Amino acid sequence: MTSNAEFTVAARPAGQDEILQLRGELDMANAHDLRRHIRAVLNDRDPPRLILDLAGLDFVDSSGLAVMLWAHFRLAERGHVLCLAAAHAHVLKVLHLTGLHQRLHTYPALADALRAPLPAERSTPAADDRPPRAGLPAPTAAHHPQRAR
């Protein structure tokens, strides 16, 4: 378990799956802690389903959301799934405002996430499970006009 004055992560296995229980405030000061935990779980256990239990998460900012999206892509590359479970209304609101509720797999309760189908069990692959295409053309001056001096 890692503890910051305002954020903790506790890991526990659930069969083949892994649950990371988040508590406190996930922001730019500690998002790297969550990324480190996720990376360790992927390297050590490589679970088919990684569940972030958000029941104790009071706040998340864009850096925390970025780690969740990063984890979603890393797991999808392996044919595995990231599930977000038991988020409070204010965390769900952030997911909806950013549109991430359409990309990340969210469940009202931890038990629902544990019963969710694994990617191999889905009838069709989700297009959103692919990372954004790399190698897009570099922005041109037309995209970033110089400011008048």
Side-chain angles (χ1 to χ4, degrees), residues 72-104:
H72 169 78
F73 289 136
R74 296 302 73 79
L75 283 145
E77 289 171 351
R78 298 167 181 240
H80 301 174
V81 66
L82 174 72
C83 299
L84 307 181
H88 291 289
H90 52 276
V91 173
L92 284 174
K93 182 177 181 179
V94 172
L95 292 170
H96 279 264
L97 288 171
T98 59
L100 289 176
H101 71 289
Q102 295 175 337
R103 177 161 288 214
L104 302 176

mmCIF file of all heavy atoms in Angstrom, residues 72-104:
data_model
loop_
_atom_site.group_PDB
_atom_site.id
_atom_site.type_symbol
_atom_site.label_atom_id
_atom_site.label_comp_id
_atom_site.label_asym_id
_atom_site.label_seq_id
_atom_site.Cartn_x
_atom_site.Cartn_y
_atom_site.Cartn_z
ATOM 1 N N HIS A 72 -6.125 1.981 -19.345
ATOM 2 C CA HIS A 72 -7.098 1.377 -20.261
ATOM 3 C C HIS A 72 -6.400 0.903 -21.539
ATOM 4 O O HIS A 72 -6.594 -0.231 -21.979
ATOM 5 C CB HIS A 72 -8.183 2.407 -20.586
ATOM 6 C CG HIS A 72 -9.093 2.019 -21.694
ATOM 7 N ND1 HIS A 72 -10.121 1.116 -21.540
ATOM 8 C CD2 HIS A 72 -9.132 2.417 -22.986
ATOM 9 C CE1 HIS A 72 -10.748 0.964 -22.691
ATOM 10 N NE2 HIS A 72 -10.175 1.748 -23.584
ATOM 11 N N PHE A 73 -5.563 1.751 -22.111
ATOM 12 C CA PHE A 73 -4.857 1.388 -23.348
ATOM 13 C C PHE A 73 -3.839 0.273 -23.119
ATOM 14 O O PHE A 73 -3.713 -0.641 -23.929
ATOM 15 C CB PHE A 73 -4.170 2.603 -23.963
ATOM 16 C CG PHE A 73 -5.134 3.593 -24.544
ATOM 17 C CD1 PHE A 73 -4.953 4.947 -24.323
ATOM 18 C CD2 PHE A 73 -6.219 3.206 -25.304
ATOM 19 C CE1 PHE A 73 -5.824 5.882 -24.855
ATOM 20 C CE2 PHE A 73 -7.104 4.119 -25.838
ATOM 21 C CZ PHE A 73 -6.896 5.467 -25.612
ATOM 22 N N ARG A 74 -3.094 0.330 -22.012
ATOM 23 C CA ARG A 74 -2.091 -0.710 -21.738
ATOM 24 C C ARG A 74 -2.770 -2.067 -21.587
ATOM 25 O O ARG A 74 -2.268 -3.071 -22.084
ATOM 26 C CB ARG A 74 -1.282 -0.406 -20.475
ATOM 27 C CG ARG A 74 -0.416 0.844 -20.512
ATOM 28 C CD ARG A 74 0.642 0.924 -21.613
ATOM 29 N NE ARG A 74 0.170 1.166 -22.941
ATOM 30 C CZ ARG A 74 -0.193 2.355 -23.460
ATOM 31 N NH1 ARG A 74 -0.161 3.435 -22.725
ATOM 32 N NH2 ARG A 74 -0.580 2.469 -24.711
ATOM 33 N N LEU A 75 -3.874 -2.107 -20.884
ATOM 34 C CA LEU A 75 -4.591 -3.369 -20.712
ATOM 35 C C LEU A 75 -5.196 -3.838 -22.030
ATOM 36 O O LEU A 75 -5.141 -5.027 -22.357
ATOM 37 C CB LEU A 75 -5.665 -3.230 -19.633
ATOM 38 C CG LEU A 75 -5.073 -3.264 -18.215
ATOM 39 C CD1 LEU A 75 -5.827 -2.368 -17.286
ATOM 40 C CD2 LEU A 75 -5.031 -4.691 -17.709
ATOM 41 N N ALA A 76 -5.760 -2.933 -22.806
ATOM 42 C CA ALA A 76 -6.359 -3.302 -24.091
ATOM 43 C C ALA A 76 -5.309 -3.876 -25.034
ATOM 44 O O ALA A 76 -5.595 -4.816 -25.784
ATOM 45 C CB ALA A 76 -7.052 -2.094 -24.717
ATOM 46 N N GLU A 77 -4.099 -3.345 -25.007
ATOM 47 C CA GLU A 77 -3.015 -3.879 -25.846
ATOM 48 C C GLU A 77 -2.729 -5.340 -25.528
ATOM 49 O O GLU A 77 -2.305 -6.093 -26.385
ATOM 50 C CB GLU A 77 -1.726 -3.081 -25.619
ATOM 51 C CG GLU A 77 -1.741 -1.693 -26.182
ATOM 52 C CD GLU A 77 -0.546 -0.870 -25.750
ATOM 53 O OE1 GLU A 77 0.234 -1.285 -24.868
ATOM 54 O OE2 GLU A 77 -0.396 0.233 -26.299
ATOM 55 N N ARG A 78 -2.984 -5.729 -24.306
ATOM 56 C CA ARG A 78 -2.742 -7.101 -23.854
ATOM 57 C C ARG A 78 -3.983 -7.979 -24.015
ATOM 58 O O ARG A 78 -3.978 -9.147 -23.634
ATOM 59 C CB ARG A 78 -2.332 -7.095 -22.385
ATOM 60 C CG ARG A 78 -1.049 -6.354 -22.105
ATOM 61 C CD ARG A 78 -0.882 -6.112 -20.605
ATOM 62 N NE ARG A 78 0.325 -5.376 -20.316
ATOM 63 C CZ ARG A 78 1.323 -5.806 -19.569
ATOM 64 N NH1 ARG A 78 1.243 -7.003 -19.010
ATOM 65 N NH2 ARG A 78 2.384 -5.072 -19.365
ATOM 66 N N GLY A 79 -5.073 -7.387 -24.491
ATOM 67 C CA GLY A 79 -6.328 -8.119 -24.582
ATOM 68 C C GLY A 79 -7.049 -8.202 -23.250
ATOM 69 O O GLY A 79 -7.885 -9.073 -23.037
ATOM 70 N N HIS A 80 -6.714 -7.300 -22.336
ATOM 71 C CA HIS A 80 -7.299 -7.282 -20.997
ATOM 72 C C HIS A 80 -8.159 -6.033 -20.830
ATOM 73 O O HIS A 80 -8.260 -5.221 -21.742
ATOM 74 C CB HIS A 80 -6.201 -7.335 -19.946
ATOM 75 C CG HIS A 80 -5.340 -8.557 -20.046
ATOM 76 N ND1 HIS A 80 -4.221 -8.753 -19.285
ATOM 77 C CD2 HIS A 80 -5.413 -9.656 -20.836
ATOM 78 C CE1 HIS A 80 -3.664 -9.899 -19.583
ATOM 79 N NE2 HIS A 80 -4.364 -10.467 -20.532
ATOM 80 N N VAL A 81 -8.774 -5.885 -19.666
ATOM 81 C CA VAL A 81 -9.722 -4.795 -19.484
ATOM 82 C C VAL A 81 -9.490 -4.067 -18.156
ATOM 83 O O VAL A 81 -9.154 -4.689 -17.152
ATOM 84 C CB VAL A 81 -11.178 -5.309 -19.595
ATOM 85 C CG1 VAL A 81 -11.528 -6.246 -18.468
ATOM 86 C CG2 VAL A 81 -12.153 -4.169 -19.687
ATOM 87 N N LEU A 82 -9.692 -2.746 -18.199
ATOM 88 C CA LEU A 82 -9.705 -1.911 -17.003
ATOM 89 C C LEU A 82 -11.158 -1.606 -16.676
ATOM 90 O O LEU A 82 -11.926 -1.204 -17.553
ATOM 91 C CB LEU A 82 -8.958 -0.596 -17.235
ATOM 92 C CG LEU A 82 -9.044 0.412 -16.082
ATOM 93 C CD1 LEU A 82 -8.205 -0.062 -14.893
ATOM 94 C CD2 LEU A 82 -8.600 1.793 -16.535
ATOM 95 N N CYS A 83 -11.539 -1.799 -15.416
ATOM 96 C CA CYS A 83 -12.888 -1.480 -14.957
ATOM 97 C C CYS A 83 -12.808 -0.448 -13.846
ATOM 98 O O CYS A 83 -11.958 -0.554 -12.963
ATOM 99 C CB CYS A 83 -13.586 -2.729 -14.410
ATOM 100 S SG CYS A 83 -13.786 -4.053 -15.600
ATOM 101 N N LEU A 84 -13.684 0.533 -13.903
ATOM 102 C CA LEU A 84 -13.822 1.516 -12.831
ATOM 103 C C LEU A 84 -15.094 1.172 -12.087
ATOM 104 O O LEU A 84 -16.157 1.043 -12.697
ATOM 105 C CB LEU A 84 -13.911 2.929 -13.395
ATOM 106 C CG LEU A 84 -12.798 3.368 -14.346
ATOM 107 C CD1 LEU A 84 -13.026 4.811 -14.785
ATOM 108 C CD2 LEU A 84 -11.436 3.204 -13.713
ATOM 109 N N ALA A 85 -14.995 1.022 -10.771
ATOM 110 C CA ALA A 85 -16.146 0.574 -9.993
ATOM 111 C C ALA A 85 -16.467 1.525 -8.849
ATOM 112 O O ALA A 85 -15.568 2.082 -8.223
ATOM 113 C CB ALA A 85 -15.884 -0.822 -9.430
ATOM 114 N N ALA A 86 -17.759 1.675 -8.594
ATOM 115 C CA ALA A 86 -18.293 2.343 -7.402
ATOM 116 C C ALA A 86 -17.871 3.798 -7.276
ATOM 117 O O ALA A 86 -17.650 4.283 -6.170
ATOM 118 C CB ALA A 86 -17.903 1.551 -6.150
ATOM 119 N N ALA A 87 -17.809 4.509 -8.382
ATOM 120 C CA ALA A 87 -17.439 5.928 -8.332
ATOM 121 C C ALA A 87 -18.578 6.753 -7.751
ATOM 122 O O ALA A 87 -19.753 6.496 -8.011
ATOM 123 C CB ALA A 87 -17.094 6.435 -9.727
ATOM 124 N N HIS A 88 -18.211 7.745 -6.944
ATOM 125 C CA HIS A 88 -19.201 8.685 -6.412
ATOM 126 C C HIS A 88 -19.729 9.565 -7.543
ATOM 127 O O HIS A 88 -19.102 9.700 -8.597
ATOM 128 C CB HIS A 88 -18.581 9.568 -5.333
ATOM 129 C CG HIS A 88 -18.242 8.817 -4.091
ATOM 130 N ND1 HIS A 88 -19.192 8.340 -3.222
ATOM 131 C CD2 HIS A 88 -17.043 8.455 -3.569
ATOM 132 C CE1 HIS A 88 -18.598 7.714 -2.215
ATOM 133 N NE2 HIS A 88 -17.287 7.769 -2.413
ATOM 134 N N ALA A 89 -20.850 10.202 -7.308
ATOM 135 C CA ALA A 89 -21.504 11.028 -8.331
ATOM 136 C C ALA A 89 -20.587 12.116 -8.863
ATOM 137 O O ALA A 89 -20.571 12.380 -10.069
ATOM 138 C CB ALA A 89 -22.780 11.646 -7.764
ATOM 139 N N HIS A 90 -19.774 12.739 -8.010
ATOM 140 C CA HIS A 90 -18.915 13.826 -8.479
ATOM 141 C C HIS A 90 -17.780 13.309 -9.367
ATOM 142 O O HIS A 90 -17.366 13.992 -10.288
ATOM 143 C CB HIS A 90 -18.381 14.669 -7.312
ATOM 144 C CG HIS A 90 -17.721 13.876 -6.241
ATOM 145 N ND1 HIS A 90 -18.448 13.273 -5.243
ATOM 146 C CD2 HIS A 90 -16.431 13.582 -6.007
ATOM 147 C CE1 HIS A 90 -17.612 12.638 -4.433
ATOM 148 N NE2 HIS A 90 -16.389 12.807 -4.880
ATOM 149 N N VAL A 91 -17.304 12.092 -9.139
ATOM 150 C CA VAL A 91 -16.289 11.497 -10.017
ATOM 151 C C VAL A 91 -16.943 11.085 -11.330
ATOM 152 O O VAL A 91 -16.379 11.306 -12.413
ATOM 153 C CB VAL A 91 -15.584 10.312 -9.324
ATOM 154 C CG1 VAL A 91 -14.666 9.582 -10.288
ATOM 155 C CG2 VAL A 91 -14.807 10.797 -8.097
ATOM 156 N N LEU A 92 -18.142 10.512 -11.263
ATOM 157 C CA LEU A 92 -18.871 10.166 -12.489
ATOM 158 C C LEU A 92 -19.155 11.409 -13.331
ATOM 159 O O LEU A 92 -19.096 11.358 -14.562
ATOM 160 C CB LEU A 92 -20.186 9.459 -12.154
ATOM 161 C CG LEU A 92 -20.080 8.005 -11.726
ATOM 162 C CD1 LEU A 92 -21.435 7.483 -11.283
ATOM 163 C CD2 LEU A 92 -19.503 7.156 -12.841
ATOM 164 N N LYS A 93 -19.453 12.515 -12.671
ATOM 165 C CA LYS A 93 -19.714 13.758 -13.397
ATOM 166 C C LYS A 93 -18.491 14.178 -14.204
ATOM 167 O O LYS A 93 -18.611 14.576 -15.361
ATOM 168 C CB LYS A 93 -20.117 14.857 -12.421
ATOM 169 C CG LYS A 93 -20.462 16.165 -13.094
ATOM 170 C CD LYS A 93 -20.930 17.203 -12.099
ATOM 171 C CE LYS A 93 -21.285 18.500 -12.827
ATOM 172 N NZ LYS A 93 -21.763 19.521 -11.888
ATOM 173 N N VAL A 94 -17.302 14.048 -13.616
ATOM 174 C CA VAL A 94 -16.067 14.382 -14.327
ATOM 175 C C VAL A 94 -15.883 13.452 -15.521
ATOM 176 O O VAL A 94 -15.511 13.892 -16.617
ATOM 177 C CB VAL A 94 -14.850 14.326 -13.378
ATOM 178 C CG1 VAL A 94 -13.546 14.473 -14.133
ATOM 179 C CG2 VAL A 94 -14.960 15.393 -12.296
ATOM 180 N N LEU A 95 -16.154 12.165 -15.336
ATOM 181 C CA LEU A 95 -16.045 11.214 -16.446
ATOM 182 C C LEU A 95 -17.015 11.563 -17.568
ATOM 183 O O LEU A 95 -16.673 11.464 -18.753
ATOM 184 C CB LEU A 95 -16.290 9.786 -15.950
ATOM 185 C CG LEU A 95 -15.214 9.206 -15.028
ATOM 186 C CD1 LEU A 95 -15.694 7.893 -14.419
ATOM 187 C CD2 LEU A 95 -13.908 9.015 -15.770
ATOM 188 N N HIS A 96 -18.213 12.003 -17.219
ATOM 189 C CA HIS A 96 -19.202 12.377 -18.228
ATOM 190 C C HIS A 96 -18.831 13.690 -18.916
ATOM 191 O O HIS A 96 -18.965 13.815 -20.136
ATOM 192 C CB HIS A 96 -20.599 12.468 -17.600
ATOM 193 C CG HIS A 96 -21.246 11.145 -17.444
ATOM 194 N ND1 HIS A 96 -22.130 10.630 -18.353
ATOM 195 C CD2 HIS A 96 -21.133 10.210 -16.477
ATOM 196 C CE1 HIS A 96 -22.530 9.440 -17.965
ATOM 197 N NE2 HIS A 96 -21.937 9.158 -16.822
ATOM 198 N N LEU A 97 -18.362 14.659 -18.153
ATOM 199 C CA LEU A 97 -17.988 15.949 -18.743
ATOM 200 C C LEU A 97 -16.848 15.811 -19.742
ATOM 201 O O LEU A 97 -16.792 16.530 -20.738
ATOM 202 C CB LEU A 97 -17.601 16.949 -17.647
ATOM 203 C CG LEU A 97 -18.754 17.482 -16.800
ATOM 204 C CD1 LEU A 97 -18.223 18.287 -15.618
ATOM 205 C CD2 LEU A 97 -19.699 18.327 -17.639
ATOM 206 N N THR A 98 -15.947 14.880 -19.470
ATOM 207 C CA THR A 98 -14.799 14.678 -20.359
ATOM 208 C C THR A 98 -15.092 13.674 -21.472
ATOM 209 O O THR A 98 -14.275 13.505 -22.370
ATOM 210 C CB THR A 98 -13.590 14.181 -19.552
ATOM 211 O OG1 THR A 98 -13.941 12.946 -18.902
ATOM 212 C CG2 THR A 98 -13.137 15.210 -18.535
ATOM 213 N N GLY A 99 -16.226 12.992 -21.401
ATOM 214 C CA GLY A 99 -16.554 11.982 -22.401
ATOM 215 C C GLY A 99 -15.895 10.638 -22.134
ATOM 216 O O GLY A 99 -16.066 9.701 -22.912
ATOM 217 N N LEU A 100 -15.142 10.525 -21.052
ATOM 218 C CA LEU A 100 -14.446 9.274 -20.774
ATOM 219 C C LEU A 100 -15.385 8.156 -20.347
ATOM 220 O O LEU A 100 -15.031 6.982 -20.415
ATOM 221 C CB LEU A 100 -13.357 9.487 -19.718
ATOM 222 C CG LEU A 100 -12.157 10.290 -20.213
ATOM 223 C CD1 LEU A 100 -11.177 10.541 -19.077
ATOM 224 C CD2 LEU A 100 -11.473 9.583 -21.371
ATOM 225 N N HIS A 101 -16.593 8.496 -19.946
ATOM 226 C CA HIS A 101 -17.562 7.448 -19.603
ATOM 227 C C HIS A 101 -17.889 6.584 -20.815
ATOM 228 O O HIS A 101 -18.326 5.450 -20.677
ATOM 229 C CB HIS A 101 -18.841 8.066 -19.024
ATOM 230 C CG HIS A 101 -19.660 8.797 -20.030
ATOM 231 N ND1 HIS A 101 -19.262 10.003 -20.574
ATOM 232 C CD2 HIS A 101 -20.843 8.485 -20.607
ATOM 233 C CE1 HIS A 101 -20.179 10.400 -21.448
ATOM 234 N NE2 HIS A 101 -21.146 9.507 -21.481
ATOM 235 N N GLN A 102 -17.658 7.116 -22.024
ATOM 236 C CA GLN A 102 -17.908 6.354 -23.248
ATOM 237 C C GLN A 102 -16.725 5.475 -23.622
ATOM 238 O O GLN A 102 -16.865 4.570 -24.432
ATOM 239 C CB GLN A 102 -18.222 7.298 -24.398
ATOM 240 C CG GLN A 102 -19.499 8.067 -24.184
ATOM 241 C CD GLN A 102 -19.755 9.085 -25.272
ATOM 242 O OE1 GLN A 102 -18.849 9.528 -25.958
ATOM 243 N NE2 GLN A 102 -21.015 9.462 -25.417
ATOM 244 N N ARG A 103 -15.569 5.744 -23.075
ATOM 245 C CA ARG A 103 -14.371 4.993 -23.419
ATOM 246 C C ARG A 103 -13.988 4.007 -22.318
ATOM 247 O O ARG A 103 -13.572 2.894 -22.606
ATOM 248 C CB ARG A 103 -13.219 5.954 -23.669
ATOM 249 C CG ARG A 103 -11.935 5.241 -23.962
ATOM 250 C CD ARG A 103 -10.974 6.131 -24.633
ATOM 251 N NE ARG A 103 -11.423 6.354 -25.991
ATOM 252 C CZ ARG A 103 -10.626 6.505 -27.017
ATOM 253 N NH1 ARG A 103 -9.346 6.492 -26.846
ATOM 254 N NH2 ARG A 103 -11.093 6.726 -28.223
ATOM 255 N N LEU A 104 -14.100 4.417 -21.072
ATOM 256 C CA LEU A 104 -13.718 3.564 -19.949
ATOM 257 C C LEU A 104 -14.917 2.743 -19.486
ATOM 258 O O LEU A 104 -16.054 3.189 -19.564
ATOM 259 C CB LEU A 104 -13.197 4.428 -18.795
ATOM 260 C CG LEU A 104 -11.998 5.314 -19.134
ATOM 261 C CD1 LEU A 104 -11.634 6.198 -17.950
ATOM 262 C CD2 LEU A 104 -10.807 4.485 -19.572
#
